[in-house]
């Protein structure tokens, strides 16, 4: 599976510490193994899946999309629940 990053995702990753990046990498690996692991959203975000994981004792959301043939995954964003979906719509 090919894993791509959106520009917004890349900007967020640059701000992380090493231990936070390790937790994010583990979450991405789990999602890559089983792409249907995340919850499929409805409405404006109907093609987006969100996987919930903990990063340094805090619930973190990881948003991604999968191609129809499941060969490509695009990582869109990650962060805490506060304003996550509002920012994701932009």
């Amino acid at each position: 599976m090919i894993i791509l990053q959106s520009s917004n995702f890349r900007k967020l990753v640059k701000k992380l510490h090493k231990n936070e990046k390790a937790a994010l990498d583990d979450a991405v690996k789990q999602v890559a193994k089983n792409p249907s692991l995340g919850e499929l959203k409805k409405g404006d975000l109907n093609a987006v899946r969100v996987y919930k994981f903990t990063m340094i004792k805090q619930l973190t959301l990881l948003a991604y999309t999968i191609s129809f043939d499941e060969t490509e995954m695009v990582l869109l964003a990650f962060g805490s629940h506060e304003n996550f979906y509002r920012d994701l719509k932009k």
Side-chain angles (χ1 to χ4, degrees), residues 48-60:
V48 176
R49 290 186 172 270
V50 175
Y51 175 66
K52 296 179 182 181
F53 68 101
T54 56
M55 180 187 295
I56 308 175
K57 299 180 183 179
Q58 182 178 3
L59 181 68
T60 306

Side-chain angles (χ1 to χ4, degrees), residues 33-88:
K33 286 180 186 174
N34 185 5
S36 62
L37 200 59
E39 179 184 345
L40 189 61
K41 293 297 159 186
K42 299 175 184 172
D44 293 344
L45 301 173
N46 61 357
V48 176
R49 290 186 172 270
V50 175
Y51 175 66
K52 296 179 182 181
F53 68 101
T54 56
M55 180 187 295
I56 308 175
K57 299 180 183 179
Q58 182 178 3
L59 181 68
T60 306
L61 307 175
L62 172 64
Y64 62 96
T65 58
I66 302 171
S67 63
F68 290 112
D69 55 357
E70 292 190 2
T71 58
E72 212 171 79
M73 179 171 62
V74 180
L75 302 172
L76 300 174
F78 68 92
S80 63
H81 193 277
E82 184 178 359
N83 299 326
F84 181 76
Y85 294 107
R86 182 200 65 191
D87 295 342
L88 191 58

Side-chain angles (χ1 to χ4, degrees), residues 15-16 72:
K15 297 177 183 178
L16 294 179
E72 212 171 79

Side-chain angles (χ1 to χ4, degrees), residues 8-43:
N8 185 32
F9 188 87
R10 273 191 230 113
K11 289 177 189 176
L12 292 171
V13 170
K14 286 182 182 180
K15 297 177 183 178
L16 294 179
H17 296 287
K18 286 185 180 183
N19 56 351
E20 293 171 328
K21 283 184 184 179
L24 179 63
D25 287 342
D26 290 340
V28 170
K29 287 176 186 175
Q30 288 181 2
V31 170
K33 286 180 186 174
N34 185 5
S36 62
L37 200 59
E39 179 184 345
L40 189 61
K41 293 297 159 186
K42 299 175 184 172

